[in-house]
Amino acid sequence: MNKVLKRTLTGLILLVILLGFIFLTGLWEGKGQPFFDALLIFVMAFATYEMITCVKAGGYTVTVIPLCIAIAALYPMITFFGYIGFFVTLGIALVLIFCFFIFDGRVTLKDMLMSSFILLYPIAPIGLALVMTTSYGMIPLLVAAAAAMLSDAIAYYAGSAIGGKKIFPKISPKKTYAGSIIGLLGGAGGALIVYALFEVLPLPINDAVTFETLLPDTYILFYCLAGTAIAVVSEIGDLFASRIKRELGIKDFSHVLGSHGGLLDRLDSIIFAIIFMAIVMAFLV
């Protein structure tokens, strides 16, 4: 089985699993959201484990206890206090990391900075995903994820088929200008697919907030522009993760997903898309 076909089949299996959890949120009059949130917490924990493992292999000492406290506390704090709970949890975890640096002589400045970095990547962005599902339902998060995923997929296939000049060959040797430009259409298309499935049909999900309601006169334009912007942002996120891997001397964060690498390898573009949509929603709602 060639690499492209194997990658496609793995991606389709992951997509089916994801869709199953998405549809669970619409059960019992929209009260099935905890099923998807549990998936997000698992993804947060496993992605953090992948990052810690890679960083330790790179020679750093990670202060694990504050990171575990943040992962355990984020969901209840967000559920009861929203954005305030999110920032308070991250703030307490950051103070604990500083305390370990102050009182444990084995923890160097570089170790402290790396532990703080892991709190910001990937814990904080996935925590923002929990903020969005708790405050706005599923549609804003799905716009971020679908636009990033479809943009990434189309850029990959278009770049493989067309080839051409590389964007940053030292960081990500497979990314081409042609793939990235065509990927912009994928971002807009991913956002419009979310609109078609969950606002037009609509398939059953937790749709506490819809953009047709928020922006009754410009929601189609919003979907197109947001999807295109997410395609750009997710490309930056992909390059950011590639640079991290180059610095750590690794190809993938793990091999749990076979040819797709680790969970964090699949989240690299989505993480920046989540941050973008969280900012957008903070202004819209």
Side-chain angles (χ1 to χ4, degrees):
M1 186 183 298
N2 65 55
K3 185 177 179 180
V4 173
L5 179 58
K6 186 175 181 180
R7 181 186 176 96
T8 302
L9 290 175
T10 305
L12 288 174
I13 292 171
L14 293 174
L15 181 60
V16 169
I17 295 172
L18 177 61
L19 287 173
F21 276 92
I22 290 171
F23 290 137
L24 281 175
T25 69
L27 300 178
W28 306 292
E29 297 181 353
K31 295 180 180 178
Q33 186 65 54
F35 289 103
F36 188 85
D37 291 342
L39 176 64
L40 284 179
I41 295 168
F42 169 78
V43 168
M44 180 194 297
F46 197 87
T48 303
Y49 166 77
E50 288 180 328
M51 182 64 85
I52 290 173
T53 301
C54 293
V55 164
K56 283 185 174 180
Y60 296 92
T61 298
V62 179
T63 308
V64 175
I65 292 176
L67 303 179
C68 292
I69 291 173
I71 292 170
L74 268 172
Y75 184 65
M77 288 291 286
I78 289 169
T79 300
F80 289 106
F81 304 109
Y83 271 108
I84 294 175
F86 169 76
F87 286 114
V88 167
T89 303
L90 293 186
I92 291 173
L94 191 61
V95 169
L96 289 175
I97 291 172
F98 293 166
C99 288
F100 272 91
F101 171 64
I102 294 169
F103 298 111
D104 189 341
R106 297 168 298 177
V107 179
T108 68
L109 178 62
K110 289 183 178 180
D111 295 332
M112 184 270 289
L113 293 174
M114 185 58 73
S115 298
S116 303
F117 173 73
I118 295 174
L119 182 66
L120 295 177
Y121 186 96
I123 293 176
I126 302 177
L128 279 176
L130 287 169
V131 172
M132 283 200 287
T133 60
T134 301
S135 303
Y136 316 124
M138 288 296 296
I139 287 181
L141 178 60
L142 290 181
V143 169
M149 291 169 66
L150 193 58
S151 170
D152 184 53
I154 288 180
Y156 172 78
Y157 289 116
S160 300
I162 299 172
K165 188 176 180 180
K166 310 294 185 181
I167 301 179
F168 296 108
K170 291 184 179 180
I171 299 176
S172 185
K174 295 181 180 179
K175 288 192 178 300
T176 65
Y177 283 98
S180 296
I181 292 171
I182 296 174
L184 297 177
L185 299 176
L192 288 172
I193 287 173
V194 172
Y195 167 68
L197 291 178
F198 302 111
E199 291 205 48
V200 176
L201 284 180
L203 295 178
I205 61 162
N206 175 11
D207 57 351
V209 171
T210 66
F211 292 107
E212 188 172 356
T213 302
L214 284 177
L215 304 166
D217 298 322
T218 58
Y219 59 92
I220 295 293
L221 178 62
F222 171 81
Y223 272 106
C224 293
L225 293 178
T228 303
I230 287 169
V232 176
V233 170
S234 64
E235 189 80 17
I236 297 171
D238 198 4
L239 290 170
F240 180 73
S242 296
R243 179 63 190 272
I244 293 172
K245 288 184 279 189
R246 293 293 177 273
E247 290 292 322
L248 294 175
I250 57 176
K251 185 176 183 293
D252 295 309
F253 287 107
S254 78
H255 302 288
V256 68
L257 300 178
S259 61
H260 281 264
L263 273 181
L264 196 50
D265 292 289
R266 295 300 91 211
L267 291 173
D268 51 13
S269 58
I270 298 175
I271 280 176
F272 275 48
I274 290 171
I275 297 171
F276 173 81
M277 278 305 297
I279 294 171
V280 169
M281 295 308 296
F283 281 99
L284 285 182
V285 180

